[in-house]
């Protein structure tokens, strides 16, 4: 702890903290587009000498980033081709009559899909379907929208492709010499997390 303060008072550390704080403000306020904010932060770190140009651009060649970009393209094609229309129809079915049943359905159906498809397009695709179901049932959307997000996050713990964090952890592990993770390295733990988390959401649905 005694070494932390001198480290934070280094010029490079102070500049980095200021850039990070400014980036957070810009991301929250929306004054600039997110991609412009990110590039501006990288440019400032280069100009101030905190990073060399090669170091600043190294992340754009990251295997985790390239894999994630490919997954977003794949998921966009999957949704636009109608590959998940049956899932949308199932989630929006009038046979589901209560928030508890809806949450149980999302855990059972959305969780496994999110193990292989990024969470963001899944939520974006199902959001209008669930909002329409809530309007028909006169149920507050807040009772099921957060569980939708949680269901995708829990499902994303089951495989390497289920979360960008998993991909990043695999890359860091490889760089540290421990080797990259396999596609199903997370599965034994992830299934347990998904089942326990899903049961908790269903049991507490009324509360």
């Amino acid at each position: 702890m005694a070494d932390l303060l001198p480290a934070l008072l280094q010029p490079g550390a102070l500049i980095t903290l200021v850039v990070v704080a400014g980036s957070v403000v810009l991301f929250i306020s929306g004054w600039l587009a997110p991609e412009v904010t990110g590039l501006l932060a990288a440019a400032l770190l280069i100009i101030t000498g905190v990073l060399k140009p090669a170091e600043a651009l190294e992340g754009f060649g990251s295997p985790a980033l390239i894999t994630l970009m490919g997954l977003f393209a794949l998921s966009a094609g999957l949704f636009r081709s109608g590959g998940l229309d049956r899932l949308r129809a199932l989630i929006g079915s009038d046979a589901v009559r209560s928030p508890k049943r809806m949450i149980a359905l999302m855990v059972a159906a959305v969780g496994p899909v999110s193990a292989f498809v990024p969470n963001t397009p899944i939520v974006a695709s199902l959001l209008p379907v669930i909002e329409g179901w809530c309007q028909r049932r006169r149920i507050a959307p807040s009772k099921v929208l957060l569980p939708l997000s949680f269901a995708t996050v829990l499902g994303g713990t089951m495989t390497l492709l289920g979360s960008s964090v998993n991909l990043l952890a695999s890359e860091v592990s490889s760089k540290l010499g421990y080797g990259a993770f396999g596609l199903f390295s997370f599965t034994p733990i992830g299934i347990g997390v998904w089942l326990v988390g899903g049961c908790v959401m269903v049991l507490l649905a009324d509360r």
Side-chain angles (χ1 to χ4, degrees):
M1 193 69 178
D3 296 333
L4 182 59
L5 186 58
L8 290 176
L9 294 178
Q10 295 294 322
L14 291 174
I15 293 171
T16 302
L17 289 175
V18 171
V19 170
V20 169
S23 299
V24 170
V25 171
L26 290 175
F27 280 132
I28 294 175
S29 65
W31 291 338
L32 295 176
E35 59 272 18
V36 175
T37 300
L39 292 174
L40 179 61
L44 288 174
L45 292 175
I46 294 173
I47 292 171
T48 55
V50 176
L51 291 177
K52 298 177 181 178
E55 292 174 334
L57 298 176
E58 184 180 358
F60 291 101
S62 165
L65 176 61
I66 295 173
T67 303
L68 190 61
M69 291 170 60
L71 285 174
F72 272 101
L74 179 64
S75 61
L78 188 63
F79 282 107
R80 293 186 181 182
S81 66
L84 292 180
D85 282 354
R86 295 195 63 171
L87 176 61
R88 290 164 57 91
L90 181 64
I91 293 295
S93 173
D94 287 331
V96 184
R97 300 179 180 275
S98 69
K100 178 174 286 190
R101 290 186 180 181
M102 174 60 77
I103 293 172
L105 178 60
M106 288 190 297
V107 171
V110 177
V113 173
S114 64
F116 300 95
V117 180
N119 298 346
T120 304
I122 294 180
V123 174
S125 176
L126 295 180
L127 193 60
V129 177
I130 293 178
E131 286 183 335
W133 178 85
C134 290
Q135 290 177 355
R136 294 195 303 274
R137 292 290 173 189
R138 295 183 179 179
I139 294 172
S142 59
K143 290 184 177 293
V144 290
L145 290 183
L146 274 178
L148 168 63
S149 177
F150 296 153
T152 59
V153 171
L154 291 172
T157 64
M158 290 192 283
T159 70
L160 178 66
L161 301 180
S163 168
S164 57
V165 178
N166 294 353
L167 290 168
L168 181 59
S170 177
E171 183 177 351
V172 171
S173 176
S174 179
K175 288 183 177 179
L176 292 177
Y178 298 108
F181 297 122
L183 178 60
F184 297 107
S185 295
F186 299 98
T187 303
I189 298 174
I191 289 178
V193 171
W194 168 57
L195 291 175
V196 172
C199 289
V200 169
M201 285 200 297
V202 172
L203 291 174
L204 299 181
D206 296 333
R207 294 173 181 259

